[in-house]
Amino acid sequence: GEDVEQSLFLSVREGDSSVINCTYTDSSSTYLYWYKQEPGAGLQLLTYIFSNMDMKQDQRLTVLLNKKDKHLSLRIADTQTGDSAIYFCAERKGSQGNLIFGKGTKLSVKP
Amino acid sequence: KAGVTQTPRYLIKTRGQQVTLSCSPISGHRSVSWYQQTPGQGLQFLFEYFSETQRNKGNFPGRFSGRQFSNSRSEMNVSTLELGDSALYLCASSSGSYEQFFGPGTRLTVL
């Protein structure tokens, strides 16, 4: 397909792990990103991974990349109510290409 | 360092009018990109400026234009506004590397 695809909704309990999945379009994409958007706000860069990596961990965040399947995932450990937001996956070809975004996954965290 | 700033934060216009939005990138960043966010289409790339030159352009009509000044500040202009131009307009700044940092956005409502 031509679109970056994400599931629209995810609901978890506080303290559980959240896994947000994304399928991107272009195997030549060099950089893959996760952004977070809270209501009424812009996009916050959470983390990124280069296409020559399989995994990246940054505190509570773990990114897994499967280049063969063009699949990217974001795991949030010990999810908190403050993690409730929309999470966007994005791909980029080279350092000068524009970002191509998925439609976003709305994460709801229940106490 | 101060983040990306966008002015105004909110704007209401009527059909047929024109509008100018402003973006000040992070100090030292020379690349500014603009994105449109709507509930239906999601996040779509408008254009990118680097050192006062348009480096990349998305698939938007000519009513959408932009420019960048020598201090890297950028403006985006939309002429002959249509109802469908109602959106959150996001500006992103980059030093030229793989990271793009977004501002809080300008919410444009066209009546």
Side-chain angles (χ1 to χ4, degrees):
Chain A
E2 294 189 355
D3 294 336
V4 177
E5 295 184 351
Q6 302 177 238
S7 51
L8 293 181
F9 302 99
L10 177 65
S11 180
V12 301
R13 292 241 173 247
E14 194 173 18
D16 288 349
S17 291
S18 308
V19 179
I20 303 171
N21 294 301
C22 167
T23 303
Y24 60 98
T25 63
D26 193 333
S27 55
S28 66
S29 287
T30 314
Y31 306 94
L32 297 143
Y33 303 82
W34 286 102
Y35 282 88
K36 175 184 180 183
Q37 186 175 38
E38 296 181 83
L43 299 176
Q44 176 192 352
L45 176 62
L46 285 177
T47 188
Y48 57 89
I49 189 168
F50 299 121
S51 58
N52 62 357
M53 299 166 67
D54 297 324
M55 185 184 90
K56 181 178 180 182
Q57 189 155 0
D58 186 359
Q59 299 183 332
R60 292 191 298 124
L61 305 178
T62 303
V63 178
L64 294 178
L65 174 61
N66 181 330
K67 266 192 87 171
K68 175 176 167 290
D69 294 336
K70 290 185 281 187
H71 183 265
L72 184 72
S73 68
L74 173 69
R75 178 177 178 267
I76 305 172
D78 187 26
T79 313
Q80 302 297 306
T81 54
D83 295 323
S84 293
I86 300 176
Y87 290 80
F88 291 93
C89 162
E91 62 176 331
R92 187 180 196 187
K93 299 170 205 178
S95 63
Q96 296 183 10
N98 56 281
L99 294 170
I100 301 169
F101 287 91
K103 291 285 175 71
T105 299
K106 184 172 183 179
L107 175 64
S108 297
V109 183
K110 297 181 178 168
Chain B
K1 275 187 179 178
V4 180
T5 57
Q6 292 188 245
T7 56
R9 291 294 311 279
Y10 303 92
L11 208 46
I12 299 175
K13 292 285 187 180
T14 56
R15 277 181 299 174
Q17 287 187 309
Q18 67 95 25
V19 68
T20 299
L21 313 181
S22 180
C23 171
S24 291
I26 293 169
S27 178
H29 285 193
R30 292 163 65 191
S31 166
V32 173
S33 299
W34 289 89
Y35 292 81
Q36 181 197 63
Q37 185 178 26
T38 59
Q41 298 300 314
L43 282 150
Q44 294 186 288
F45 171 73
L46 282 154
F47 29 66
E48 182 204 3
Y49 286 86
F50 182 82
S51 293
E52 301 179 66
T53 301
Q54 189 179 85
R55 186 160 71 174
N56 203 355
K57 187 176 186 304
N59 190 24
F60 276 81
R63 299 186 297 107
F64 292 81
S65 63
R67 59 178 175 168
Q68 188 180 32
F69 301 95
S70 58
N71 62 357
S72 294
R73 189 178 70 86
S74 176
E75 287 182 347
M76 190 192 110
N77 184 276
V78 189
S79 62
T80 320
L81 283 165
E82 300 177 1
L83 294 178
D85 297 332
S86 293
L88 181 67
Y89 289 89
L90 292 161
C91 160
S93 125
S94 173
S95 62
S97 71
Y98 45 83
E99 293 176 310
Q100 283 200 342
F101 298 96
F102 283 79
T106 294
R107 172 76 61 187
L108 171 65
T109 302
V110 182
L111 301 175

